[in-house]
Amino acid sequence: MSKQTLPVVDLQTAGCCAPLAVRALDADQAAVVAPMFKALGDPVRLRLMSMIASVPEICVCDLTPAFDLSGPTISHHLKVLREAGLVDSERRGTWVWYAVRPEAFRRLGALLDLPDTATRAAR
Amino acid sequence: MSKQTLPVVDLQTAGCCAPLAVRALDADQAAVVAPMFKALGDPVRLRLMSMIASVPEICVCDLTPAFDLSGPTISHHLKVLREAGLVDSERRGTWVWYAVRPEAFRRLGALLDLPDTATRAAR
DNA sequence: GGGCTGATTCGAAAATCATCTAGACAGGTG
DNA sequence: CACCTGTCTAGATGATTTTCGAATCAGCCC
């Protein structure tokens, strides 16, 4: 399957960065993390992501008909999610199945933790 | 202070959506949430967001010099974060101060909760 | 093998975006 | 008031993105 273990993906897989609200990211960290948020920044991809994440796994054939878009377009968006490291795909016979990558997903969530401090009201 | 309480912001401010991993978003929900992720999907904005979120508040004059970009470009990115509802700004005399909007930030984080279930391994 | 269906890749068109310079506005200070 | 500094708006430009149809690839079945 996907051989593309680019340096980028390695950094993503490596634990990266305290929550945004704890310590500011440097330029390199931001360059690693931003593409993951960017991948979720399109309504179609966000919906795809939510459909994938809300079940153990799901076939492309069940994703495509939920949208008013061509197959290639859905395929393109899935590729963006894949290359961001957020989901994984596996061909089984005729169909291709997608599943969330829990580590990446969780790490992204951890970045958005807001520890009750560091808000203007609390200054 | 910024008067722009657009309808979009109202929807964002309203509690929206179970975590992605719990229930898939419909098209309307995705259209509301995606711009927030999109705003974080640029390395410059992500860094700006982390600089703002990691302190109670911060002056534009302290943000700009951290980047190798023109003032107007930083201003543009801050506007995107503002319009996504993620930060708030307030002019105090000569300077403009930015602060995170904890509700929006927290809601975004909640969307990325991953409840240990709904992963392929757990099927 | 030949044909079928599901999914991806390719190439192109239209829309959006990041960035800049120039200019406007806001507020302080002499 | 005139001027200076900090910030934002306007308009332009090159780069990126979204989307499509056409073509290709993968695996099944007759």
Side-chain angles (χ1 to χ4, degrees):
Chain A
M1 149 157 340
S2 38
K3 62 317 154 233
Q4 89 293 39
T5 305
L6 309 163
V8 162
V9 172
D10 283 333
L11 279 170
Q12 286 168 354
T13 304
C16 169
C17 319
L20 296 196
V22 168
R23 186 167 53 255
L25 272 44
D26 65 31
D28 289 340
Q29 296 171 326
V32 169
V33 177
M36 303 178 74
F37 283 115
K38 187 177 199 172
L40 298 181
D42 177 275
V44 173
R45 283 194 296 267
L46 185 58
R47 258 182 93 198
L48 284 169
M49 185 72 201
S50 72
M51 292 173 76
I52 295 168
S54 59
V55 294
E57 57 183 355
I58 186 167
C59 172
V60 174
C61 61
D62 288 327
L63 293 170
T64 305
F67 298 83
D68 206 16
L69 292 170
S70 70
T73 297
I74 297 300
S75 195
H76 159 73
H77 285 303
L78 288 172
K79 182 179 185 176
V80 173
L81 290 174
R82 241 186 301 128
E83 291 182 341
L86 291 170
V87 302
D88 211 348
S89 69
E90 179 183 340
R91 168 156 236 140
R92 287 213 285 275
T94 306
W95 295 281
V96 175
W97 297 80
Y98 278 76
V100 71
R101 279 165 74 138
E103 345 73 60
F105 195 79
R106 232 184 295 267
R107 182 149 34 248
L108 208 56
L111 235 35
L112 295 184
D113 282 349
L114 186 55
D116 274 345
T117 162
T119 71
R120 187 192 283 169
R123 93 183 134 108
Chain B
M1 153 174 332
S2 38
K3 50 352 168 197
Q4 88 293 42
T5 305
L6 309 163
V8 163
V9 174
D10 283 332
L11 279 169
Q12 286 168 355
T13 304
C16 170
C17 320
L20 295 198
V22 169
R23 186 167 53 258
L25 271 45
D26 65 31
D28 289 340
Q29 295 171 327
V32 170
V33 176
M36 304 177 76
F37 283 115
K38 188 176 199 169
L40 298 181
D42 178 275
V44 173
R45 283 195 296 267
L46 185 57
R47 256 181 95 198
L48 284 169
M49 185 71 202
S50 72
M51 292 174 77
I52 296 167
S54 59
V55 294
E57 57 183 357
I58 187 167
C59 172
V60 173
C61 61
D62 288 326
L63 293 170
T64 304
F67 299 84
D68 205 17
L69 292 170
S70 69
T73 296
I74 298 299
S75 195
H76 158 72
H77 285 304
L78 288 171
K79 183 178 185 177
V80 173
L81 289 173
R82 241 187 300 126
E83 291 182 340
L86 291 170
V87 302
D88 212 349
S89 69
E90 179 181 340
R91 169 155 236 140
R92 286 212 285 274
T94 305
W95 295 281
V96 176
W97 296 80
Y98 277 77
V100 70
R101 280 165 72 136
E103 344 74 59
F105 195 79
R106 231 183 294 267
R107 182 149 32 249
L108 208 55
L111 235 35
L112 295 184
D113 282 349
L114 186 54
D116 274 344
T117 160
T119 72
R120 186 191 284 169
R123 95 183 131 108

